[in-house]
Amino acid sequence: MDRKRKSTVPTTVKDGKKRRTYLQGASSETPHLSSALRDEDGIEYRLDSVFGLVKDIVSDIERGQGVDGISPPIKQAAFDLDIALSHARSLIQRHRRSAGHPVDVEESSTNNVEPSLPALPPISDQMLEKAVFTHPGVNGDIEATYDRLEILGDAYIELFATRLIWDRFHNIPSGQISQLRELLVKNESLAQYAIQYGLDSRANIPQDYLGQPKRWTKTMGDIFESYVAAIILSDPASGHIIAEKWLRQLWLPKLTDAGPHKFSLNAKDALARKIMGKGVKLKYNEERTSVQVAGGKQIFFIGVYLTGWGWTDRHLGSGRGPSKAVAGNEAAEQALNNEPLIGEVIHAKKSHEGKHC
Protein backbone atom coordinates (compact mmCIF):
# COMPACT_ATOMS: atom_id res chain seq x y z
CA MET A 1 0.00 0.00 0.00
CA ASP A 2 1.28 3.40 -0.99
CA ARG A 3 1.43 5.59 2.08
CA LYS A 4 2.09 9.26 2.08
CA ARG A 5 4.67 10.62 4.48
CA LYS A 6 3.25 13.78 5.94
CA SER A 7 5.63 16.45 7.16
CA THR A 8 5.41 17.72 10.70
CA VAL A 9 6.95 21.02 9.56
CA PRO A 10 4.21 23.61 8.95
CA THR A 11 4.15 26.26 6.27
CA THR A 12 5.72 29.34 7.83
CA VAL A 13 4.53 32.91 7.53
CA LYS A 14 7.38 35.40 7.65
CA ASP A 15 7.24 39.14 7.00
CA GLY A 16 3.68 38.73 5.76
CA LYS A 17 4.72 36.26 3.05
CA LYS A 18 4.40 32.50 2.98
CA ARG A 19 7.63 30.62 2.52
CA ARG A 20 7.66 26.91 1.62
CA THR A 21 9.24 24.36 3.91
CA TYR A 22 9.97 21.95 1.03
CA LEU A 23 9.12 18.91 3.12
CA GLN A 24 5.35 18.90 2.80
CA GLY A 25 3.51 15.90 1.39
CA ALA A 26 6.55 13.85 0.45
CA SER A 27 5.28 10.86 -1.52
CA SER A 28 5.24 9.27 -4.93
CA GLU A 29 2.78 11.99 -5.88
CA THR A 30 5.39 14.71 -5.36
CA PRO A 31 7.85 14.15 -8.24
CA HIS A 32 9.47 17.55 -7.78
CA LEU A 33 10.51 16.97 -4.17
CA SER A 34 14.18 16.48 -5.03
CA SER A 35 14.36 19.76 -6.90
CA ALA A 36 12.54 21.49 -4.06
CA LEU A 37 15.07 20.17 -1.59
CA ARG A 38 17.81 21.64 -3.73
CA ASP A 39 16.14 25.02 -3.72
CA GLU A 40 18.72 27.28 -2.10
CA ASP A 41 16.24 29.65 -0.51
CA GLY A 42 14.28 26.82 1.10
CA ILE A 43 17.33 25.04 2.46
CA GLU A 44 18.77 28.27 3.79
CA TYR A 45 15.50 29.22 5.48
CA ARG A 46 15.22 25.86 7.22
CA LEU A 47 18.86 26.16 8.23
CA ASP A 48 18.06 29.56 9.76
CA SER A 49 15.34 28.01 11.92
CA VAL A 50 17.52 25.16 13.16
CA PHE A 51 20.47 27.52 13.71
CA GLY A 52 18.40 29.78 15.98
CA LEU A 53 17.08 26.83 17.98
CA VAL A 54 20.53 25.33 18.49
CA LYS A 55 21.93 28.73 19.49
CA ASP A 56 19.27 29.00 22.21
CA ILE A 57 20.06 25.51 23.50
CA VAL A 58 23.82 26.15 23.58
CA SER A 59 23.25 29.47 25.33
CA ASP A 60 21.15 27.75 28.02
CA ILE A 61 23.82 25.08 28.52
CA GLU A 62 26.56 27.67 28.87
CA ARG A 63 24.51 29.63 31.42
CA GLY A 64 23.55 26.47 33.26
CA GLN A 65 19.82 27.14 32.83
CA GLY A 66 17.45 24.18 32.67
CA VAL A 67 20.18 21.66 31.94
CA ASP A 68 20.24 19.64 35.15
CA GLY A 69 20.47 15.97 34.36
CA ILE A 70 21.60 16.43 30.75
CA SER A 71 24.51 14.09 30.07
CA PRO A 72 27.86 15.43 28.78
CA PRO A 73 27.56 13.56 25.43
CA ILE A 74 24.28 15.32 24.68
CA LYS A 75 25.76 18.69 25.61
CA GLN A 76 28.77 18.00 23.37
CA ALA A 77 26.45 17.03 20.54
CA ALA A 78 24.71 20.40 20.84
CA PHE A 79 28.06 22.21 20.76
CA ASP A 80 29.23 20.21 17.71
CA LEU A 81 25.98 20.93 15.88
CA ASP A 82 26.36 24.63 16.66
CA ILE A 83 29.84 24.64 15.10
CA ALA A 84 28.69 22.74 12.01
CA LEU A 85 25.73 25.07 11.43
CA SER A 86 27.89 28.17 11.88
CA HIS A 87 30.34 26.88 9.28
CA ALA A 88 27.51 26.00 6.88
CA ARG A 89 25.96 29.46 7.17
CA SER A 90 29.33 31.09 6.59
CA LEU A 91 29.78 29.12 3.36
CA ILE A 92 26.25 30.03 2.23
CA GLN A 93 26.94 33.72 2.82
CA ARG A 94 30.14 33.51 0.77
CA HIS A 95 28.31 31.71 -2.04
CA ARG A 96 25.50 34.27 -2.07
CA ARG A 97 27.95 37.15 -2.22
CA SER A 98 30.00 35.55 -4.99
CA ALA A 99 26.79 34.89 -6.96
CA GLY A 100 25.72 38.51 -6.56
CA HIS A 101 22.78 37.76 -4.24
CA PRO A 102 22.03 40.08 -1.30
CA VAL A 103 22.64 38.79 2.20
CA ASP A 104 19.61 38.91 4.49
CA VAL A 105 19.73 41.47 7.30
CA GLU A 106 18.25 38.81 9.57
CA GLU A 107 20.90 36.34 8.43
CA SER A 108 23.61 38.83 9.25
CA SER A 109 22.26 39.49 12.74
CA THR A 110 22.25 35.78 13.61
CA ASN A 111 25.91 35.65 12.80
CA ASN A 112 26.74 38.45 15.22
CA VAL A 113 27.17 40.93 12.38
CA GLU A 114 26.62 44.46 13.60
CA PRO A 115 23.47 45.96 12.05
CA SER A 116 25.31 49.04 10.82
CA LEU A 117 28.97 49.50 9.98
CA PRO A 118 30.81 52.72 9.20
CA ALA A 119 31.28 53.27 5.48
CA LEU A 120 34.27 51.45 4.04
CA PRO A 121 36.82 54.07 2.90
CA PRO A 122 37.74 53.71 -0.78
CA ILE A 123 41.22 52.96 -2.10
CA SER A 124 42.04 55.55 -4.76
CA ASP A 125 44.95 53.63 -6.30
CA GLN A 126 43.57 50.80 -8.47
CA MET A 127 46.82 48.84 -8.49
CA LEU A 128 46.96 48.89 -4.70
CA GLU A 129 43.32 47.88 -4.48
CA LYS A 130 43.91 44.86 -6.72
CA ALA A 131 46.96 43.85 -4.68
CA VAL A 132 44.93 43.96 -1.45
CA PHE A 133 42.80 41.06 -2.65
CA THR A 134 45.54 38.98 -4.31
CA HIS A 135 47.07 36.15 -2.30
CA PRO A 136 50.83 35.60 -2.77
CA GLY A 137 50.06 32.00 -3.67
CA VAL A 138 48.30 32.99 -6.90
CA ASN A 139 50.76 35.61 -8.19
CA GLY A 140 54.54 35.47 -8.15
CA ASP A 141 54.95 39.26 -8.40
CA ILE A 142 55.39 40.49 -4.83
CA GLU A 143 54.22 43.99 -5.75
CA ALA A 144 50.95 42.62 -7.12
CA THR A 145 49.94 40.86 -3.87
CA TYR A 146 49.27 41.79 -0.28
CA ASP A 147 52.51 40.17 0.89
CA ARG A 148 54.06 43.50 1.97
CA LEU A 149 50.87 45.48 2.52
CA GLU A 150 49.65 43.35 5.41
CA ILE A 151 52.85 44.01 7.40
CA LEU A 152 52.37 47.77 7.13
CA GLY A 153 48.65 47.52 7.84
CA ASP A 154 49.30 45.41 10.92
CA ALA A 155 51.62 48.09 12.35
CA TYR A 156 49.10 50.89 11.78
CA ILE A 157 46.25 48.84 13.27
CA GLU A 158 48.27 48.14 16.42
CA LEU A 159 49.04 51.86 16.77
CA PHE A 160 45.46 53.00 16.15
CA ALA A 161 44.04 50.45 18.59
CA THR A 162 46.51 51.44 21.31
CA ARG A 163 45.69 55.14 20.87
CA LEU A 164 41.96 54.45 21.08
CA ILE A 165 42.24 52.47 24.31
CA TRP A 166 44.70 55.01 25.73
CA ASP A 167 42.28 57.87 25.05
CA ARG A 168 39.17 56.05 26.25
CA PHE A 169 40.40 54.38 29.44
CA HIS A 170 42.68 56.55 31.56
CA ASN A 171 42.92 54.43 34.69
CA ILE A 172 43.72 50.92 33.50
CA PRO A 173 47.19 49.31 33.75
CA SER A 174 49.31 48.24 30.80
CA GLY A 175 48.21 44.61 31.10
CA GLN A 176 44.57 45.51 30.52
CA ILE A 177 45.53 47.80 27.64
CA SER A 178 47.23 44.82 25.99
CA GLN A 179 44.22 42.58 26.57
CA LEU A 180 41.77 45.07 25.12
CA ARG A 181 44.05 45.73 22.15
CA GLU A 182 44.27 42.00 21.46
CA LEU A 183 40.47 41.86 21.32
CA LEU A 184 40.49 44.50 18.58
CA VAL A 185 43.47 43.46 16.46
CA LYS A 186 43.62 39.66 16.59
CA ASN A 187 43.14 37.79 13.33
CA GLU A 188 39.72 36.49 14.36
CA SER A 189 38.37 40.03 14.88
CA LEU A 190 39.89 41.40 11.68
CA ALA A 191 38.67 38.41 9.68
CA GLN A 192 35.17 38.98 11.01
CA TYR A 193 35.25 42.60 9.86
CA ALA A 194 36.56 41.56 6.44
CA ILE A 195 33.64 39.18 5.97
CA GLN A 196 31.09 41.70 7.24
CA TYR A 197 32.28 44.15 4.59
CA GLY A 198 32.19 41.46 1.91
CA LEU A 199 35.93 41.59 1.29
CA ASP A 200 36.00 37.79 1.24
CA SER A 201 33.95 37.70 -1.97
CA ARG A 202 36.59 39.84 -3.72
CA ALA A 203 39.57 37.76 -2.60
CA ASN A 204 41.73 35.94 -5.14
CA ILE A 205 43.09 33.07 -3.07
CA PRO A 206 44.00 29.39 -3.52
CA GLN A 207 40.79 27.37 -3.70
CA ASP A 208 41.87 24.82 -1.10
CA TYR A 209 41.91 27.58 1.55
CA LEU A 210 38.11 27.52 1.64
CA GLY A 211 38.16 24.19 3.45
CA GLN A 212 40.88 25.16 5.94
CA PRO A 213 39.38 27.36 8.72
CA LYS A 214 42.70 28.47 10.24
CA ARG A 215 44.22 29.46 6.91
CA TRP A 216 40.99 31.13 5.87
CA THR A 217 40.88 33.22 9.07
CA LYS A 218 44.54 34.21 8.69
CA THR A 219 43.98 35.17 5.05
CA MET A 220 40.93 37.30 5.85
CA GLY A 221 42.86 39.04 8.63
CA ASP A 222 45.75 39.72 6.23
CA ILE A 223 43.39 41.17 3.63
CA PHE A 224 41.85 43.49 6.20
CA GLU A 225 45.31 44.67 7.31
CA SER A 226 46.28 45.18 3.68
CA TYR A 227 43.15 47.22 3.04
CA VAL A 228 44.10 49.57 5.88
CA ALA A 229 47.62 49.94 4.46
CA ALA A 230 46.23 50.67 0.98
CA ILE A 231 43.93 53.41 2.32
CA ILE A 232 46.94 55.12 3.84
CA LEU A 233 49.33 54.64 0.92
CA SER A 234 46.81 55.75 -1.71
CA ASP A 235 46.31 59.09 0.05
CA PRO A 236 49.65 60.26 1.50
CA ALA A 237 48.18 63.53 2.79
CA SER A 238 45.22 62.30 4.82
CA GLY A 239 44.99 58.52 4.38
CA HIS A 240 46.16 57.76 7.91
CA ILE A 241 43.57 60.17 9.35
CA ILE A 242 40.78 58.58 7.31
CA ALA A 243 41.85 55.06 8.29
CA GLU A 244 42.12 55.85 12.00
CA LYS A 245 38.74 57.59 12.09
CA TRP A 246 37.11 54.64 10.34
CA LEU A 247 38.70 52.05 12.62
CA ARG A 248 37.71 53.98 15.74
CA GLN A 249 34.08 53.96 14.61
CA LEU A 250 34.35 50.26 13.81
CA TRP A 251 35.94 49.31 17.12
CA LEU A 252 33.93 51.42 19.54
CA PRO A 253 30.92 49.05 19.83
CA LYS A 254 33.20 46.10 20.59
CA LEU A 255 35.21 48.15 23.05
CA THR A 256 32.06 49.44 24.75
CA ASP A 257 30.62 45.93 25.09
CA ALA A 258 33.85 44.58 26.51
CA GLY A 259 34.98 47.45 28.69
CA PRO A 260 37.92 47.15 31.06
CA HIS A 261 35.74 45.48 33.72
CA LYS A 262 35.59 42.37 31.54
CA PHE A 263 39.33 42.10 31.71
CA SER A 264 39.92 42.77 35.38
CA LEU A 265 40.50 39.14 36.22
CA ASN A 266 39.58 39.32 39.91
CA ALA A 267 36.56 37.01 40.02
CA LYS A 268 38.75 33.93 40.46
CA ASP A 269 40.39 35.45 43.54
CA ALA A 270 37.03 36.53 44.95
CA LEU A 271 35.59 33.04 44.50
CA ALA A 272 38.63 31.43 46.10
CA ARG A 273 38.42 33.74 49.13
CA LYS A 274 34.78 32.79 49.66
CA ILE A 275 34.92 29.02 49.43
CA MET A 276 38.50 27.74 49.62
CA GLY A 277 39.93 25.90 52.61
CA LYS A 278 42.33 23.13 53.58
CA GLY A 279 42.17 20.24 51.12
CA VAL A 280 39.69 22.05 48.89
CA LYS A 281 40.38 22.43 45.18
CA LEU A 282 38.97 24.65 42.45
CA LYS A 283 39.64 23.45 38.92
CA TYR A 284 39.15 25.45 35.73
CA ASN A 285 38.66 22.98 32.90
CA GLU A 286 38.02 23.39 29.21
CA GLU A 287 34.44 22.16 28.82
CA ARG A 288 34.82 21.99 25.06
CA THR A 289 37.54 22.81 22.60
CA SER A 290 37.81 26.39 21.39
CA VAL A 291 35.89 27.07 18.21
CA GLN A 292 35.95 29.45 15.30
CA VAL A 293 32.44 30.56 14.47
CA ALA A 294 31.15 32.56 11.53
CA GLY A 295 33.43 35.46 10.79
CA GLY A 296 36.53 33.78 12.18
CA LYS A 297 35.91 34.68 15.80
CA GLN A 298 37.57 32.29 18.28
CA ILE A 299 35.83 31.45 21.54
CA PHE A 300 37.08 29.47 24.55
CA PHE A 301 34.78 27.62 26.97
CA ILE A 302 35.85 27.11 30.60
CA GLY A 303 34.01 25.67 33.60
CA VAL A 304 34.92 25.95 37.28
CA TYR A 305 34.54 22.86 39.49
CA LEU A 306 34.75 22.39 43.27
CA THR A 307 36.16 19.36 45.07
CA GLY A 308 35.76 19.62 48.84
CA TRP A 309 33.21 20.29 51.60
CA GLY A 310 31.49 17.03 50.65
CA TRP A 311 31.46 17.51 46.86
CA THR A 312 33.56 16.04 44.07
CA ASP A 313 33.85 18.04 40.85
CA ARG A 314 30.74 20.07 41.63
CA HIS A 315 30.06 22.41 38.71
CA LEU A 316 29.87 26.01 39.91
CA GLY A 317 29.80 28.03 36.70
CA SER A 318 30.76 28.27 33.04
CA GLY A 319 32.20 31.07 30.95
CA ARG A 320 33.21 31.89 27.43
CA GLY A 321 35.62 34.46 26.06
CA PRO A 322 38.37 35.35 23.58
CA SER A 323 40.98 33.69 25.84
CA LYS A 324 41.06 30.97 28.50
CA ALA A 325 41.78 33.58 31.17
CA VAL A 326 38.75 35.66 30.27
CA ALA A 327 36.51 32.60 29.95
CA GLY A 328 37.70 31.29 33.33
CA ASN A 329 37.09 34.63 34.96
CA GLU A 330 33.58 34.69 33.52
CA ALA A 331 32.98 31.20 34.93
CA ALA A 332 34.00 32.45 38.38
CA GLU A 333 31.70 35.48 37.97
CA GLN A 334 28.79 33.20 37.10
CA ALA A 335 29.50 31.15 40.22
CA LEU A 336 29.62 34.24 42.42
CA ASN A 337 26.34 35.48 40.97
CA ASN A 338 24.64 32.19 41.79
CA GLU A 339 23.95 33.23 45.38
CA PRO A 340 21.93 30.15 46.43
CA LEU A 341 24.70 27.82 45.28
CA ILE A 342 27.52 29.84 46.83
CA GLY A 343 25.49 30.19 50.01
CA GLU A 344 25.15 26.41 50.16
CA VAL A 345 28.90 25.97 49.69
CA ILE A 346 29.74 28.57 52.34
CA HIS A 347 27.32 26.88 54.77
CA ALA A 348 28.99 23.52 54.14
CA LYS A 349 32.39 25.15 54.64
CA LYS A 350 31.39 26.66 58.00
CA SER A 351 29.85 23.39 59.17
CA HIS A 352 32.97 21.45 58.26
CA GLU A 353 35.29 23.97 59.86
CA GLY A 354 33.11 24.04 63.00
CA LYS A 355 33.47 20.29 63.43
CA HIS A 356 37.24 20.59 63.36
CA CYS A 357 37.66 23.52 65.73
Side-chain angles (χ1 to χ4, degrees):
M1 181 173 61
D2 183 22
R3 295 183 180 179
K4 294 181 180 180
R5 288 188 294 115
K6 293 183 179 180
S7 170
T8 58
V9 183
T11 300
T12 305
V13 177
K14 183 179 179 184
D15 299 330
K17 299 178 181 178
K18 287 187 178 181
R19 299 188 66 174
R20 294 173 293 165
T21 61
Y22 302 99
L23 285 178
Q24 296 176 337
S27 73
S28 59
E29 298 178 8
T30 54
H32 301 297
L33 175 62
S34 59
S35 61
L37 285 172
R38 288 196 299 268
D39 187 291
E40 235 176 64
D41 186 61
I43 292 173
E44 187 177 357
Y45 178 63
R46 286 185 286 130
L47 187 61
D48 280 348
S49 301
V50 176
F51 184 81
L53 176 61
V54 172
K55 278 293 181 189
D56 289 342
I57 293 172
V58 169
S59 179
D60 287 344
I61 291 174
E62 289 169 349
R63 292 196 302 266
Q65 295 182 355
V67 295
D68 291 341
I70 297 180
S71 65
I74 293 178
K75 291 181 181 179
Q76 187 60 51
F79 292 143
D80 292 342
L81 183 56
D82 180 34
I83 297 168
L85 288 171
S86 295
H87 182 60
R89 287 173 58 83
S90 181
L91 291 176
I92 287 174
Q93 283 188 358
R94 175 175 171 79
H95 170 70
R96 289 179 67 86
R97 288 195 186 98
S98 64
H101 299 310
V103 177
D104 249 14
V105 173
E106 181 179 349
E107 175 184 300
S108 296
S109 66
T110 57
N111 279 292
N112 298 319
V113 177
E114 291 153 305
S116 61
L117 296 171
L120 185 67
I123 299 171
S124 58
D125 186 314
Q126 291 185 355
M127 294 296 291
L128 277 175
E129 184 174 23
K130 185 177 181 180
V132 163
F133 298 102
T134 304
H135 189 279
V138 298
N139 193 320
D141 181 1
I142 194 172
E143 294 294 330
T145 73
Y146 63 67
D147 181 72
R148 284 162 50 86
L149 286 172
E150 60 101 357
I151 294 294
L152 182 63
D154 175 69
Y156 273 110
I157 287 172
E158 286 266 349
L159 173 62
F160 294 157
T162 305
R163 281 167 52 110
L164 174 60
I165 297 165
W166 181 275
D167 293 342
R168 188 169 179 82
F169 304 113
H170 299 283
N171 299 312
I172 64 173
S174 59
Q176 287 187 30
I177 292 176
S178 296
Q179 287 178 310
L180 285 171
R181 182 177 61 197
E182 175 64 15
L183 177 68
L184 301 182
V185 308
K186 65 181 181 177
N187 270 332
E188 292 78 12
S189 295
L190 301 184
Q192 183 181 24
Y193 290 137
I195 292 171
Q196 288 174 353
Y197 276 110
L199 304 186
D200 58 326
S201 64
R202 301 166 63 182
N204 183 13
I205 62 176
Q207 284 300 306
D208 61 339
Y209 275 38
L210 295 176
Q212 302 180 53
K214 289 186 178 180
R215 276 189 168 183
W216 173 251
T217 298
K218 174 65 164 60
T219 299
M220 289 300 101
D222 288 347
I223 286 177
F224 189 87
E225 291 169 346
S226 302
Y227 198 99
V228 171
I231 293 172
I232 295 168
L233 291 175
S234 64
D235 185 354
S238 56
H240 68 287
I241 298 174
I242 294 171
E244 184 169 15
K245 182 179 179 180
W246 166 55
L247 288 173
R248 279 177 171 253
Q249 291 175 332
L250 186 62
W251 281 329
L252 273 174
K254 186 184 288 286
L255 205 56
T256 301
D257 290 343
H261 61 282
K262 289 285 185 180
F263 294 86
S264 55
L265 306 180
N266 297 322
K268 288 183 177 181
D269 292 338
L271 181 62
R273 285 195 297 270
K274 279 182 175 290
I275 66 176
M276 287 296 286
K278 186 176 180 180
V280 175
K281 295 181 180 179
L282 279 178
K283 293 190 297 183
Y284 290 85
N285 297 332
E286 258 192 294
E287 296 185 313
R288 53 184 287 206
T289 56
S290 63
V291 298
Q292 288 183 337
V293 295
K297 182 179 179 182
Q298 188 172 18
I299 303 175
F300 294 86
F301 304 87
I302 302 293
V304 56
Y305 297 84
L306 166 71
T307 295
W309 313 128
W311 288 287
T312 300
D313 286 335
R314 172 67 186 272
H315 176 259
L316 301 181
S318 296
R320 59 190 297 174
S323 69
K324 290 182 181 180
V326 173
N329 192 69
E330 187 173 289
E333 285 183 348
Q334 187 186 88
L336 289 168
N337 291 331
N338 190 344
E339 295 181 1
L341 173 60
I342 294 302
E344 182 183 358
V345 174
I346 292 175
H347 177 74
K349 174 183 177 180
K350 289 180 178 178
S351 297
H352 187 276
E353 290 177 339
K355 291 177 183 178
H356 294 80
C357 286

